Amino acid sequence: MTAAATRRRCRVQVAGIVQGVGFRPFVHRLATRHRLDGWVRNTSGRVDIELDGAGADVAAFLAELRAEAPPLSRIDKVSAVDVDVAETDAVDEGFRILESLSNEGGRRPVPADVAMCAACERELFDPSDRRFEYPFITCTDCGPRYTVIESLPYDRERTTMRWFTQCPECEREYRTPGDRRHHSETNSCPVCGPRLWIALPSERVDSPPDNTDRYGGPLRLAAALLRGAGILAVRGVGGFHLAVDATNDDAVRRLRERKHRDAKPLAVMVRTLDEVRAIARVSDVEAELLMQRERPIVLLESLSSTRIAPSVAPGLRTIGVMLAYSPLHHLLLSLADRPLVMTSGNRSEEPIAASIPDGVARLSEIADLFLMHDREIESPVDDSVIRVSGNSPAFIRRARGYAPKSIPLPCTALEPILAVGGHLKSTFTLAAGDDAYVSPHLGDLDTLETLQHFRATLDRYSRLFRIVPRVVARDLHSGYLSTRIAAELDAERCIVVQHHHAHIAAVLGEHGHDGRVIGVSYDGTGAGDDGTSWGAELFVADQKSYERVGHLRAAPLPGGDLAVRTPWRSALGYSSLEPSMAAAFANALESVSDDERHAAERQVQRNFNAPLASSMGRLFDAAAAILGVCRVARFEGDAAMRLEALAGSRAAEPLPFPVINVSGRLLLDPVPLFAALAEARQRGERIEDLAAAFHESVAAATAAAVVTLCQSRGLDVVALGGGVFQNARLTTSLRARLEAVHLKVLTSISLPANDGGLSYGQAVVAAAVLHDHQ
Ligand SMILES: [Zn+2]
Ligand SMILES: [Zn+2]
């Protein structure tokens, strides 16, 4: 008897992202191709397969399982165990997809939302297709996932699609092996699927009115409103968007006014890559990012003359662009026939509105019209934002398409951990075993709405991933709302993590880097362990601990948090360090009223509400004020973004920015740098050149300090963390300087460098600390 003829029975378990990605239909096709009998089914967290057939066919199946797995899947582990043919029940002839088994206690990956696939797009615009212009078209390769899943395993009856019973035609597709919609849990069509309707802000309708023209009517009305400069609230995949004609400056201004969003850049949505190229420069890496099925907003360099209204991204040379990701967006864009501003449906800084009552309550003052649908959004989620920094993608906001995919923990969590993050750009991380589940971007924890959103998302994550935290990790800052949330949780143990150490630990965790490094943590401000504010720190650090070995020279920050919006205050704080150089700082204070200025000076003199801070964010603010680029900021980071925009990729030599050894700790002293900037400006040098020189000065001084530390400590790996490293010019220059002397540079990969990545860093520290105390 030859091996090929030997009968083999085999039980296979596949772990990874294998649910909601067309995995069972794929297994069915593969098994059928190899003439195998048996079955496949979802259990919690994995897919189980039983195979029965010729030995060679089983072997071929196993070999091809990884190689040919569906594009959206990620196989982490395959285990195959042979079972005795004689001892087990006979397998029915043929290969079947069995009902899912819900297995309490197992860890279960939850698939993220996926943009409409090319096959669905073809059907959407094919007049002969039964789903022509159907705004909820999906298949096993595409459609909403995380946003519609109520619980696991992923089957229609545990998603918000359970309210729609498939019509016989859809049911037939669902049941037919080989069909693109075989076991597509979100399958629907114009006969049986969700409905679309138009509502005026004054109408409190939360279900579709009877006998409307189901799709064409509402879509055409909405498109007409947009062409006529109106503001449309569109209920989409993760929540509401506010949409206006991106080429109409009046419309964009009106949106800003009503949304109370003065200057923060707005994202633009178009349908094709060619349309993106008409408004921005697109590199190959950027094109790839735009086309990814996660469909993030990508920050691109805008072209100088385009149709886009100037008020979309005032004063910046970048523009955030995303490609349409849902069929509804495709239809709306093709009917409106112009790029659309698509910004989160919220009032400034609140979480995105997702339910119909919430949308109506929060957006009726802003929108002229609502485009509604009745596919419920179980988990609201914002759009993700990425920019390319020296050819690598860097997250600014991680949300739709990426959350809730897991991120590996560098060391196993011995107890389930909840890390509550910081205050701004808040996220939390739930960690258990080797996996960390980072929440999508939740917003700034300033408002009651964000706090509620935080709690609701945490409940949902705990339920979906079945993690009941026993250890909580929080920031050192006692005033953060996240600290209060941590206190309420009544965990067995609370681990307090210094803000900038969390930034470095996040980078180490993502790279699975075990040893000690020089950590450079540059951001706004965070609580230091000496009672002052930190934000430009050099550490010798590992995942568990840190030693502060250098920092920016600290200066008083008159007005405390107020200084974030008023860069001139940062400059005033530095000028108080060296009164003899007051003249250099004069320009920063131009146009500031005498009263305001004197009040701030008194705060510094009396040491009242003028905390000492070593903040890189505030250093950028002070430089922008001295150069006259930005004395009053429209939002946090405004001054730095404008400085970076001015600098562009212009070559420049660094100005003096000495690094001094003060009793064993390195101090970066920016006062000579400010003096040089002010002097050069008085000589009439171009602002653009000075902005470039400022960036090079920060990069050169940092590199000099890092090289000194690496030599004295015998280290050759450097981790860069914190929001300042979203500045591509700075990061690229610093990386090049360090790599030139053969240091290895680590930066964040799949999480933002800013406070959005903080909770993951806290979880990494907590996991490492738990190991130590075992
Ligand atoms: Zn599809
Ligand atoms: Zn149907």
Side-chain angles (χ1 to χ4, degrees):
M1 214 176 180
T2 65
T6 316
R7 185 155 157 246
R8 183 176 170 193
R9 175 92 62 90
C10 184
R11 281 192 192 137
V12 186
Q13 291 185 343
V14 189
I17 297 175
V18 287
Q19 294 189 11
V21 292
F23 204 82
R24 287 172 302 169
F26 152 71
V27 168
H28 186 280
R29 282 195 302 277
L30 192 61
T32 312
R33 196 202 307 156
H34 290 295
R35 301 168 299 277
L36 297 170
D37 296 331
W39 48 260
V40 57
R41 81 175 149 211
N42 280 347
T43 59
S44 298
R46 36 162 233 267
V47 163
D48 288 353
I49 307 168
E50 179 134 339
L51 302 168
D52 190 357
D57 288 335
V58 171
F61 174 97
L62 291 173
E64 287 161 27
L65 187 68
R66 272 180 191 274
E68 295 181 19
L72 302 183
S73 66
R74 186 188 82 200
I75 297 181
D76 291 341
K77 198 175 167 201
V78 178
S79 62
V81 181
D82 282 347
V83 290
D84 195 329
V85 179
E87 270 179 26
T88 47
D89 296 338
V91 169
D92 289 342
E93 224 166 86
F95 198 89
R96 292 174 305 143
I97 296 180
L98 301 185
E99 291 291 318
S100 302
L101 271 192
S102 161
N103 156 26
E104 295 296 322
R107 185 122 306 110
R108 310 165 295 177
V110 179
D113 303 285
V114 183
M116 180 171 69
C117 72
C120 284
E121 188 179 342
R122 275 193 298 279
E123 292 175 350
L124 184 66
F125 290 101
D126 174 1
S128 69
D129 193 275
R130 75 188 191 94
R131 290 190 178 85
F132 176 57
E133 292 195 344
Y134 175 56
F136 306 99
I137 190 169
T138 65
C139 70
T140 44
D141 290 334
C142 74
R145 299 288 188 271
Y146 169 64
T147 50
V148 296
I149 289 174
E150 295 169 332
S151 63
L152 290 179
Y154 173 56
D155 282 310
R156 189 185 188 93
E157 74 231 44
R158 283 175 289 271
T159 70
T160 58
M161 282 303 289
R162 69 193 157 94
W163 300 101
F164 307 95
T165 307
Q166 292 186 81
C167 68
E169 183 74 347
C170 285
E171 182 81 28
R172 193 189 54 73
E173 295 166 336
Y174 184 87
R175 299 267 166 237
T176 307
D179 192 286
R180 217 174 81 246
R181 297 193 166 87
H182 184 208
H183 274 269
S184 168
E185 307 299 346
T186 53
N187 195 29
S188 68
C189 77
V191 176
C192 62
R195 286 158 296 178
L196 195 67
W197 72 97
I198 283 279
L200 288 168
S202 54
E203 293 176 293
R204 308 270 153 171
V205 232
D206 51 13
S207 61
D210 294 336
N211 64 35
T212 51
D213 170 2
R214 289 192 72 158
Y215 303 108
L219 277 166
R220 280 169 178 79
L221 257 171
L225 174 89
L226 290 167
R227 282 198 304 272
I231 301 175
L232 181 72
V234 193
R235 195 175 195 216
V237 174
F240 281 91
H241 274 128
L242 289 163
V244 291
D245 179 351
T247 66
N248 185 320
D249 209 49
D250 289 341
V252 179
R253 280 170 192 281
R254 198 160 52 245
L255 172 64
R256 283 192 180 282
E257 244 163 63
R258 293 198 199 162
K259 201 175 141 96
H260 301 298
R261 181 163 170 144
D262 309 340
K264 261 194 176 174
L266 299 165
V268 169
M269 183 187 267
V270 295
R271 271 198 65 204
T272 65
L273 207 49
D274 281 344
E275 289 168 38
V276 184
R277 292 189 203 281
I279 55 185
R281 224 177 289 283
V282 186
S283 71
D284 290 347
V285 180
E286 289 162 340
E288 217 172 277
L289 274 174
L290 284 162
M291 299 289 288
Q292 271 182 358
R293 45 190 170 254
E294 290 86 358
R295 289 287 197 279
I297 296 169
V298 182
L299 293 193
L300 302 168
E301 186 189 341
S302 38
L303 297 177
S304 47
S305 70
T306 70
R307 300 165 66 198
I308 300 298
S311 49
V312 168
L316 300 176
R317 288 174 198 178
T318 51
I319 182 165
V321 187
M322 68 182 137
L323 287 174
Y325 52 88
S326 84
L328 179 58
H329 298 141
H330 276 273
L331 292 168
L332 200 56
L333 280 163
S334 99
L335 290 167
D337 195 25
R338 66 204 58 205
L340 297 176
V341 163
M342 279 281 183
T343 182
S344 296
N346 55 11
R347 289 182 296 235
S348 240
E349 308 310 323
E350 283 177 0
I352 190 166
S355 74
I356 291 179
D358 198 23
V360 171
R362 284 160 62 197
L363 307 177
S364 4
E365 308 275 287
I366 305 175
D368 298 312
L369 208 61
F370 283 82
L371 184 57
M372 299 286 201
H373 65 68
D374 58 356
R375 185 181 68 200
E376 279 314 311
I377 298 167
E378 177 68 12
S379 296
V381 60
D382 274 293
D383 294 314
S384 295
V385 185
I386 297 185
R387 81 180 293 186
V388 170
S389 172
N391 262 338
S392 321
F395 274 85
I396 292 177
R397 183 162 85 191
R398 181 181 182 269
R400 179 186 48 76
Y402 302 94
K405 289 181 207 168
S406 66
I407 293 176
L409 267 187
C411 73
T412 308
L414 296 174
E415 301 268 15
I417 298 167
L418 167 66
V420 292
H423 183 69
L424 300 174
K425 302 177 178 72
S426 157
T427 62
F428 62 78
T429 295
L430 273 176
D434 297 326
D435 291 314
Y437 301 94
V438 183
S439 76
H441 164 87
L442 300 168
D444 298 349
L445 274 178
D446 286 325
T447 64
L448 188 61
E449 282 83 0
T450 316
L451 187 62
Q452 281 164 349
H453 184 42
F454 186 108
R455 292 203 164 109
T457 310
L458 178 56
D459 281 349
R460 218 173 284 126
Y461 257 53
S462 303
R463 195 159 34 78
L464 282 175
F465 297 109
R466 296 180 188 183
I467 298 175
V468 181
R470 294 161 70 117
V471 174
V472 56
R474 67 156 172 95
D475 194 88
L476 185 56
H477 199 301
S478 55
Y480 283 175
L481 261 186
S482 58
T483 296
R484 206 194 301 167
I485 294 171
E488 283 167 12
L489 283 167
D490 199 28
E492 285 172 19
R493 179 162 178 198
C494 182
I495 294 173
V496 177
V497 182
Q498 199 279 325
H499 193 102
H500 302 95
H501 181 218
H503 277 309
I504 299 305
V507 176
L508 298 182
E510 276 208 81
H511 288 269
H513 186 88
D514 234 352
R516 289 193 312 159
V517 299
I518 297 299
V520 182
S521 195
Y522 283 178
D523 71 353
T525 51
D529 62 21
D530 60 356
T532 68
S533 275
W534 292 3
E537 310 307 313
L538 299 171
F539 290 156
V540 171
D542 57 18
Q543 289 167 21
K544 199 173 58 226
S545 60
Y546 68 94
E547 178 193 350
R548 192 188 194 205
V549 290
H551 58 87
L552 182 70
R553 184 178 176 189
L557 208 52
D561 288 344
L562 198 60
V564 171
R565 286 294 196 112
T566 43
W568 64 265
R569 286 174 195 271
S570 296
L572 185 77
Y574 279 108
S575 81
S576 74
L577 297 178
E578 305 277 347
S580 63
M581 292 170 86
F585 291 89
N587 187 49
L589 302 169
E590 216 181 274
S591 79
V592 175
S593 77
D594 286 349
D595 284 355
E596 268 192 294
R597 178 192 172 154
H598 289 142
E601 280 168 349
R602 269 197 306 276
Q603 287 174 326
V604 172
Q605 282 155 9
R606 296 180 188 167
N607 191 18
F608 173 74
N609 194 20
L612 271 184
S614 58
S615 162
M616 190 48 73
R618 301 297 83 81
L619 183 83
F620 270 78
D621 286 352
I626 287 166
L627 291 176
V629 170
C630 179
R631 294 183 190 93
V632 176
R634 302 165 299 174
F635 49 90
E636 201 200 359
D638 186 17
M641 282 169 79
R642 285 203 251 175
L643 271 185
E644 187 187 358
L646 284 169
S649 51
R650 202 168 258 102
E653 286 301 316
L655 299 166
F657 189 175
V659 179
I660 313 153
N661 191 324
V662 180
S663 39
R665 205 183 263 175
L666 296 185
L667 207 62
L668 283 74
D669 183 4
V671 176
L673 169 61
F674 290 139
L677 283 175
E679 233 170 69
R681 194 172 177 275
Q682 266 152 16
R683 279 199 308 272
E685 284 191 34
R686 282 161 26 115
I687 293 289
E688 288 85 351
D689 292 330
L690 294 178
F694 172 74
H695 279 82
E696 291 315 300
S697 311
V698 174
T702 307
V706 167
V707 169
T708 306
L709 291 168
C710 281
Q711 281 164 354
S712 65
R713 299 296 183 124
L715 297 171
D716 59 1
V717 182
V718 186
L720 312 180
V724 167
F725 290 111
Q726 279 170 196
N727 183 316
R729 164 97 198 209
L730 176 67
T731 308
T732 310
S733 172
L734 178 56
R735 179 189 280 276
R737 288 167 192 273
L738 297 173
E739 287 176 347
V741 292
H742 310 294
L743 295 175
K744 186 174 175 192
V745 179
L746 310 178
T747 53
S748 48
I749 314 164
S750 33
L751 286 169
N754 63 36
D755 284 5
L758 209 61
S759 64
Y760 172 75
Q762 293 169 344
V764 169
V765 175
V769 167
L770 289 178
H771 266 266
D772 213 38
H773 289 252
Q774 201 190 358

